[in-house]
Amino acid sequence: MKINVGIDLGTTYSAVATFSKELGRVKVLKNSLNSDCTPSVVCIQNGKVLIGDEAKDEQKCGNVNTAAFYKSMMGDPGWSAYIDGEEYSAEKLSGLFLRELIRDVARTNNVEIDGAVITVPAYFNDKQREATIRAGKQAGLKVLKIINEPTSAIIAYGLTGGKDKNVMVYDLGGGTFDVTVAHVSGTRIDVLATNGNHQLGGKDWDEALIEDIKDRFYYDFSISIDDHEEDLKELQVKCEEAKKRLSSAPSTVISIQCEGMLGKYTVTREEFADKTSNLLNETISLINSCFEEISEAKNRSFGWSDIDEVVLVGGSTRMPQVKDMIVREYGKQPITKDINVDTIVATGAAMQAELCVSSTITLTVASAPSQQGGGTATANRATPMTLTIHNSDIQDITAHSLGMLALANDNKTYINSIIIKKNSRVNETFSREYTFAGEKLQVYVLQGESRDPYETDIIGAYSITGMPKDNKGKIKVNFLYNSNGVVEVNACLENGQVLSAVKENSNETMSEIIARLERERREAEELARRNSRIEIMLIIDTSGSMSGRMGQAQRSATEFLSGLDFSRTYVSVISFANTSSVVSGWSNNKNDINSGIRAIGSWSADGGGTSATPIETHYRKFSSECNHRIMVILTDGYWNNQSSEEHSASKAKRDGITIHAIGIGEADEAFLDRISSGKGKKVDLSQLTEAFKEVAASIATETSGNTIK
Ligand code: AMP
């Protein structure tokens, strides 16, 4: 018979369960040793793979070809275990473990396993989730979904169809800790917040004991057990066993042999609780952060008094000090009755697996959920009733904010600009719009709460391409946590046209990425600077008083032109007296411009007065693609419309136009100052060339900066 299963792929133990439509409840599938749970230990010897108790026995005997606790290293490219002459990543070990686990369970229960929902700590990031999916596929499974362990526990525990309630799942496993708060209303589950530490779990309590025994052994015999790999492995197993014994006995003895010496050490529960209190405190602070996050989202204070039920999940919650801590903080007893802490997560995953293939499930539950919780996992109380659950009833959230690498407002530092906030619903799309005219937009997606990109995980660089060549519109980039909690990015144009968004695989570190982006940005700025168009409007007075000065004016202006960069500078020549006119239009051809100037020179002034308004008439005539707009005005006398021209000059300057006014002869120096962006220049005719040179130098400085107007 082909079945779909839920797999709790635990750090220390794993469990498999399936939903039985006939019974309307979940059945935990036992392994060949008739146990619900299989130790997540792998032993590889001469190519042969052993898992579970067999592998754990090998570990106990000090066999170095064993691996445990690899789950917390999932998705970490820098971690591998050297076993049986080969390097194994956590993903590969998980794949081998899952393959053997489902083979064993399938054989024992005479079923064929097809699809699976695999659980992960809510705190798992994108890389860890993707690695888990790949491990499942490597094991030959059709991975139906990845689901958060606490959400899975709530599905198994909380769906009792009773009154609305806030449920906290305190999940302390072998290597991970998660706390999750959800609102349960009938068959609907809304996860409100989740927090965790995927490096905190039962193994840390083991470690505290191991350290204690190592110290005591060293004190007695001056022998360091750390130097003896096999003895150390044995001590690890013995300490875990002792820790478990302390959950039911007030004290226990740990004996260890090394270099022929035998040490026997008594440990009491109080001593153990004392030595590990810092670990429990860490879980309390993560609970408090959860409350703070919910308070922030709800805009009201949320705390222990808002919690209706606390559910303990994970093998490590068997330690009495966990329950004592909850009672101390919560003031009430947590729910432990009717819950099998080892299989509740697999149970919820099995229900989710059925939901994935059938979209609804009909569950037989106890009719009246007691104060001690419903416990659908082992719903065996009188008068069962049925409850139909829809896939859409389960609304999960993300444990990590998602952001993108962006340049901060200071144009210097890079930040993680958050797009999807932690505790946002999965399957909800968040978008960012970009005004971008290039061919390839690269978006670096980061996961983490910090604004500092160095404190985040790099999800990947998404390359967005396929924009039309003349694209001037906006590009919309959509970011989403899918129902597996895995990040998806896609993009489209304003008109809805879909663009290609491809995740590029790269091993670049954050500092390498930032250094490269910085370099590219500087190059782009330099290019933009080099390509930025400069427009200079050369406005020359041709009134009667200029007649004797025109020759010099022409020579000085020609000299001025010779210093300009015509790869990006365009000049238009304007003459003014009683009227103003364009002598030569925008051109970067030096000859054209020179002939414009010569034309003015040969007019040798029109003999009229200066009642034109050249600033007002021409300041709007710069082209739109120009980055630097400059007016250079040469005059030798009073203008009839000085005050209105001052007003026009103010408007022009407000619009970003730079005005350089040069005066000779009877020019009004105060007027020159008022129309200029800086100070005006009143000079003798003999100094006119020098004055033009100074203007050219000032234009060069102004247009070589990185700021583009
Ligand atoms: P899980 O990952 O949920 O299977 O939890 C496994 C962790 O629970 C391991 O660290 C076990 O050592 C721990 N554990 C299991 N049973 C007990 C117990 N009776 N007392 C203390 N810790 C336990």
Side-chain angles (χ1 to χ4, degrees), residues 607-627:
T610 42
S611 47
T613 52
I615 301 176
E616 175 61 26
T617 311
H618 299 283
Y619 86 88
R620 293 183 200 85
K621 301 213 174 122
F622 286 92
S623 67
S624 59
E625 68 265 32
C626 147
N627 304 97

Side-chain angles (χ1 to χ4, degrees), residues 33 39 41 43 50-63 66 233-234 237 241:
L33 296 175
V41 183
C43 172
L50 298 177
I51 63 151
D53 285 297
E54 274 183 295
K56 198 162 182 180
D57 285 345
E58 290 296 322
Q59 185 195 22
K60 255 189 225 176
C61 300
N63 186 338
T66 56
K233 285 227 171 198
E234 197 182 329
V237 174
E241 285 169 354

Side-chain angles (χ1 to χ4, degrees), residues 81-142:
Y82 187 72
I83 305 173
D84 199 27
E86 254 187 69
E87 299 282 350
Y88 286 87
S89 65
E91 176 184 322
K92 209 163 166 194
L93 288 170
S94 299
L96 289 175
F97 173 77
L98 281 172
R99 187 188 75 192
E100 296 304 315
L101 176 71
I102 56 167
R103 271 187 195 164
D104 182 49
V105 165
R107 220 181 299 121
T108 308
N109 295 274
N110 202 18
V111 289
E112 205 181 312
I113 294 174
D114 188 26
V117 167
I118 305 175
T119 66
V120 291
Y123 202 69
F124 255 23
N125 65 20
D126 192 74
K127 281 196 183 116
Q128 293 165 312
R129 284 166 197 267
E130 295 221 78
T132 306
I133 294 173
R134 286 195 297 270
K137 286 184 182 160
Q138 191 191 311
L141 286 166
K142 196 194 288 168

Side-chain angles (χ1 to χ4, degrees), residues 10-13 172-174 202-203 206 240 243-244 247 314-316 318-319 342:
T11 314
T12 40
Y13 291 92
L172 187 60
K203 68 171 174 38
D206 299 349
E240 191 200 352
K243 171 190 75 173
K244 289 183 185 172
S247 293
S316 298
R318 288 204 178 91
M319 292 187 289
D342 295 323

